[in-house]
Amino acid sequence: MSLEAFNLNLFEHLNAPIGANIYMVDFAIFIANDTLYLLIIFLLLSWFLGSRQSKELAFKAVLTTVIALIIGFMISSIFPHPRPFMIDAGRTLIYHAPNASFPSDHMLIFSSIALSYLFAKEKNIGVFLLLLAIEVAWSRVYLGVHFPLDMVGAFFVALFTNIIMQKIWIKHGANLIDLALKIYCFIFSKPLQKGWVK
């Protein structure tokens, strides 16, 4: 069996069947779409209300994610792979633009941030976010906008990016976070003085 055939076969097993439970579909839509906003809120709170360490963790996670997304964009531009609905595979239960599917941007974001926290030895947050990333991966395949290998590929791009970022951070992390904090203090000087943010 070819890798493409394996990918399609696995997709057909994970994709929502005809007559899927409406509550399962609603749950999948929430995981696929809305958890991203919760993740963004978590990172914003970590930066605006957290300690220096919380700010550093959030900043490193976001920077790692941006780099991972750039790498993912380059991969999808060079090796574009159609989404399931573009080849009439399975059932699609949410709207998505007909662009390249490999690697998944959602999985890149969640796994990059999860691995960033794990690499920083923040086990509880990292494990929780990694489990959430797995749920996101399942939901987007279940809803028919991604193939399983889109998720596997995204995870390995995120892992590669985190390994590289870890090496960069050891040498330049202190300077990067100092610069980010200086810019932050300059832009948000009044809210900081009033104690609205930290």
Side-chain angles (χ1 to χ4, degrees):
M1 181 183 290
S2 68
L3 188 61
E4 191 67 27
F6 170 78
N7 194 24
L8 181 58
N9 185 56
L10 186 57
F11 168 77
E12 289 174 348
H13 279 85
L14 295 174
N15 184 224
I18 295 174
N21 184 289
I22 187 63
Y23 297 109
M24 180 67 77
V25 172
D26 287 344
F27 174 71
I29 291 173
F30 169 75
I31 295 294
N33 293 335
D34 299 330
T35 50
L36 179 60
Y37 300 112
L38 297 177
L39 183 61
I40 291 170
I41 290 170
F42 164 72
L43 291 170
L44 288 173
L45 291 175
S46 296
W47 179 266
F48 284 104
L49 300 178
S51 63
R52 179 187 171 92
Q53 182 183 9
S54 295
K55 286 177 169 57
E56 182 174 342
L57 289 168
F59 178 73
K60 178 172 174 276
V62 170
L63 187 59
T64 303
T65 302
V66 169
I67 295 171
L69 286 170
I70 291 171
I71 294 172
F73 175 77
M74 292 171 63
I75 293 171
S76 65
S77 298
I78 298 170
F79 304 106
H81 190 280
R83 294 180 183 274
F85 58 83
M86 295 168 68
I87 58 171
D88 294 323
R91 300 177 66 229
T92 306
L93 300 178
I94 57 173
Y95 172 77
H96 201 290
N99 52 14
S101 71
F102 182 92
S104 162
D105 287 344
H106 276 75
M107 187 59 173
L108 272 176
I109 292 169
F110 279 88
S111 53
S112 292
I113 293 171
L115 289 169
S116 182
Y117 277 88
L118 284 174
F119 272 61
K121 298 181 180 179
E122 289 290 330
K123 185 178 178 181
N124 291 338
I125 296 175
V127 169
F128 174 79
L129 291 176
L130 193 58
L131 291 173
L132 186 57
I134 293 170
E135 284 288 304
V136 169
W138 160 79
S139 69
R140 297 188 73 78
V141 175
Y142 183 80
L143 295 169
V145 294
H146 274 289
F147 286 105
L149 291 187
D150 298 339
M151 303 303 168
V152 176
F155 176 81
F156 280 105
V157 170
L159 179 60
F160 169 78
T161 307
N162 267 279
I163 291 171
I164 298 301
M165 178 56 73
Q166 191 69 11
K167 294 180 179 180
I168 294 172
W169 202 259
I170 290 171
K171 292 183 179 180
H172 306 290
N175 292 332
L176 288 171
I177 190 63
D178 284 344
L179 177 60
L181 286 171
K182 285 180 182 177
I183 295 171
Y184 169 64
C185 290
F186 175 75
I187 295 174
F188 291 91
S189 59
K190 288 187 177 180
L192 283 164
Q193 289 172 5
K194 294 181 180 293
W196 295 343
V197 295
K198 295 181 180 179

